[in-house]
Each structure stands twice: as structure tokens, then as C-alpha cells.
Amino acid sequence: MCGIVGYTGSGRAVDFVLAGLEKLEYRGYDSAGIAYLDGGELRIVRAVGRVDDLRKKIPAEAARAHCAIGHTRWATHGRPTEINAHPHCDNKGRFAVVHNGIIENYAKLRTELEHQGCRFVSETDTEVAAHLIAKMHETMKDFPRAVERAIAVIEGSFAFAVLSTEHPGAIVATRRGSPLVAGFGRGEMLVASDALPIVPTTPDVFYLQDDQVIEVQAERIEMGGKPVQPSERIRWTAEDAERGGYEHFMLKEIYEQSGALRKLASKLIADPGTAGDPGTFPAFHLNGAPLSKDYLRGVSRVVVVAQGTSYHAGMIARNMIERTARVPVQVEYGSDFRYRSPIIDPSVLVLGISQSGETADTLGAVRLAKERGCKTLAVLNVQGSTMARESDGVVLMHVGPEIGVASTKAFTGQIAALYVFAIHFGILRGTLSAPEARRRVDDLLQVSIRVDEALAQNDHIKQVALKYKDAEHALYLGRGTGFPLALEGALKLKEVSYIHAEGIDAAEMKHGPIALIDEKMPVFVLALQGRRYDKIVSNIQEVKARGGRVIAIASHDDRAIEARVDDVIRVHDDRGIVNSIVCAIPLQLIAYHIAVALGRDVDKPRNLAKSVTVE
Ligand code: F6R
């Protein structure tokens, strides 16, 4: 939610910041702005719309600037207008501030500042911070200290980058709850909401902790007057975060899934075990999950906390963990769990699932669990994220940066990483025999091949999808693990195409939703041949009997289904839980092709932002 970039150094600061903002547009894209110093004067340029709209308004003289901050916005307080776009500044035009997050006590602070003579021009909470910092600076003339004093009275979540005419060449940056990372180049330093804008310049980064305040200069970064050193080296490259010839990031990321799953397996599976030897168990690299054997054996219950697509992966994980480790699993929206006074104790393992590791609600739930004495394990994609730092253990998915706002490869990566954890858990608890564990690992090692086969059907999937592009509504049905997939298929369709879609447990159809069926309603059915196949076939017949149009995602060897439905998309059915990964591919492609055909902005759907760092 909102992206921040700051640059100071020998290069053209405004160009760096604009390029960085373009990389952060997935975080918010309703307006954008930049502040830089030109001959000691603060210049601010803002625009409604995309970074490209801002770029068109930048004057030629901006090329002279060596220090700049910028922002791409996802509106919380105040409509997406030019006046509400960041940066915001104090009345004397000495301090410019960009902000990601929400200042919860802004109304009170605003009233106080107005009484002290500050004039507010925007509807934003951020403007409060600009006035506050300027006020604090008046008394102490120390830039980082002024920011420190300001954040001491601010409640809520924030990442700030601040520029001042009083301290040319310096950017002061801080965070609480919202992410911020600093990058160490040669004679140039950067700060940003995530590493994407930094990686083209340097892989060496420092992730700020809550309430840390840094002063960034071209040659050094300091905290409390002492030099700060990089804390991590980013392992992916700038090319990993480019579109690489694909029309959209979403399509690129859908296609990356087989490679990403191969990499995930190579990173997480240390030894698949020896076939034929009943005694050898597979082994895993789960060093990031330092939850001891004794601890895992004593776990009484697992509570999964997640939002959106990650929640759907959590629902699939419930089945995996219950089957393999025989531990009850409860799946919760972090947003609800954290406010419900949940019944948990230290024997409960809380599993946070998040692509970004920054989702405010999931993070809030993880923090609550820690306060209650639970151990927390996070399944994440972003290495240096807040959740990675705050959890007792981390399992990384290794699927590379996901830029498209609609989550695709992170979803299948989550399922695969959770599958590895479930097997590990089952082995440690003695509920999974060596041959069973090895079979599951083999399934996972095969899954990339099955994903490739599914991707190879892209043309057919597109043809099928386009038949339904003019539908106003769509239903997705599934049973068992097909149900979370139905939810995920519907979520993908609605977020990128804006077609209203609902995922329904097929067993629930008769309890109400069947009333929606008519000849205009496409119904996508997850119809693989598991234990519940006959029941799904009955659901298909019930839909057909009421004139609905059925598109089945069916097993490669299910010949009988053809006569029962309007369209079939086949995937290789290994009758195992990793089928969920394979079924996700056609669901993602259906949503993608329909959205493109409708002319939607697939990578940046309206009203959305990738990383939801506010509640
Ligand atoms: C949907 C989507 C969102 C996220 C959700 C959680 O395509 O991307 O529903 O899954 O906002 O985000 P993370 O996984 O970063 O916690």
C-alpha cells in the first residue's frame, strides 16, 4: 500500500526515484509525486494517475537534483487528487514527507497543530507529519532527532522518507509497521518500501526495524550518529523483476511456475530418500523453521492465519497437515482472529502465510499469537519482510519477486512449501511412514512437469475462456481441496476482469446458490477424480438440468465427462494433494485471458494494491 523511494548520491536523483516508483506501482497507483532540492529550494511535482503521468510533468531542471524522494499512492485518507498526492510539506516549504501507512491519531494532531498556526491544504493524515517534523526541528535543529520526536507522538503505522532544505543531500527515513529498506551503493544510497527499486543499483540492503530512524547521505547511512552496515544481500537480480518479453507480469508469473516449483523443491528438499528402502525418510532444508522435534511433537493444534489468496493456500494446507501429521488445523483470516480473543495457548503453533510478509492483518494475528506464548512459523516469499523477522521460524518459497497484483506463482509456491512442511511435520510426529513420505516427495518433484503440461494447453484454455468473457457473473464449484481452488479461481477472475464471481463448496449448492443458475451463468467446476468425484458429477448434472453452462477442470483420463459438460480443460491427475497446484494453472489463465479480452489493466487492477499494509 503506497510505495516510497528516496535517492541521494552522485547520480540523477529524480530519474532514480521515478524508475523506482515505476517498480513500486504495484503497491498503489492512483497518484504519484516527487520532491527534490534545486539550488536549495524545495520543488514538489505531483500528478493524479500513474508514475508515467508524473514523469510528463517533471521540468528539465530536475535533472540537476542529487537528492529526491517520491511516492506512488493507494488512497486511504482523502481522495486521489493532486492536492492529496504526496509529498506533503510544512507551511514554510522546508520539509517534504512521503508516507506509507495510516496515522491513527491524525485528527487530534491536526487540531493541535492548527491551534499552533499550521495551515493544512490536503485531506491527508500525512500532512500532519510534515508540520510536526518542522515544529520539532524549530527547537532542536537536528534532522533525525526532529523525526524521532515526531514519531514519538504519532500513533499508527508508517514508513516515512523526509527531505529538508535545511539539510541538503540528506534523507531521514523511519518506519513502524510499514516496511522500509535502505540500499548501499557506491557514492549513492537509496531507501524504498521494498528492494525492487534498490536491486538495479545494489544487492546490499538494510531492513529497518520499527522506530529505527536513519539518516541517509550519499556516502553513508547513520543511525543515532553511528554508521549502519548492510544486513542482507538480495539474491535475486533486477532481471528477475522485469517482464522479460511477456505482455504482462501476471502472464510471466503464471509461466514461471514450473521453474519456480523446481527451484523451491531443490531448496527445500535435501534428500528425497532411497526408493525401496522402507527405513529411509526424505530430508528437508527447513533451517528457517527452527522448531525442534520435541516442540513439533507436542503441538496440540495448528492455527493458520492469512488473507486473500494466502488464505486459500491455508485452506489447502489444512487438508495436507491433517492428513500427514494428524493434528487439527484451524484456518483463520488474521483480520478476524486478532480481534476475537482467540482460544490459543503455548501448545498451539500459529502458521502465518503471506507472499509479502507485510500484510497488516496477518502480521497483527502473528503478533497476538506471540503475545499469548505461541510459537509462530511464517511461510513467505519476501526474505527480509517484517513477518520473517518477527516469526520464530520461516519457510521461504523461493519463487522470486511477484509483481503482478494478482497472486499466481506465490499461491502455488505456498501450497508446495506447505506440503514440504506437512511431510516434515508428519515424519517428526511419527504419523507418516518412510514410503508414504517418499511418495509425497516424489509427487512434489513431478509437479513441475504437470504444471508444464497444463501451461502447454494455454491456447485451448484461452479459447474456452473467451467464450465466457461477456458473462456478468460466474460460479466456481469444488469439493474438498477443490473448494479453496474454487474460491481462488473466483478471486482471480473478479480481481483482474471485474466480473462478479463466487467460489462455492459444491455441497452447498442445494442450500441456496443453485437459485442463481440460469442459461447465462458459466459454472467452472473442479472435477478431478478423487473420493468426491461422483458427488461432483451430481452437482454438474444439477447445474445442467437448470440450463447452466459448465466448464470442467477434469482429469486427463476422464473420458465420460465430455458428454456432461460444455467445455473441458484437462490436467494430469496424479490423485494426490499436489493436484491443487496443477489445477491452479487453468484457473489463473482463464482469469488472465478474460481480463485481457475485456481490456483490463491486468497487472494493476482498479482499487487494488499488492501489499496490504493497512487494516
Ligand atoms: C489476490 C491477492 C491477495 C493477497 C492478500 C494477502 O490475488 O494477491 O488476496 O493474497 O492480500 O497478501 P500476502 O500474501 O502478501 O499476505
Side-chain angles (χ1 to χ4, degrees), residues 306-311 353-359 362 387 402 404-408 410 414 488 491-492 495 609-612:
Q307 302 290 142
T309 290
S310 299
Y311 178 87
I353 307 177
S354 174
Q355 188 284 128
S356 61
E358 301 293 348
T359 299
T362 311
M387 215 181 297
E402 188 181 69
V405 164
S407 192
T408 51
Q414 284 163 342
E488 178 59 11
L491 177 61
K492 285 291 89 91
E495 70 182 322
K610 182 135 188 88
S611 178
V612 185

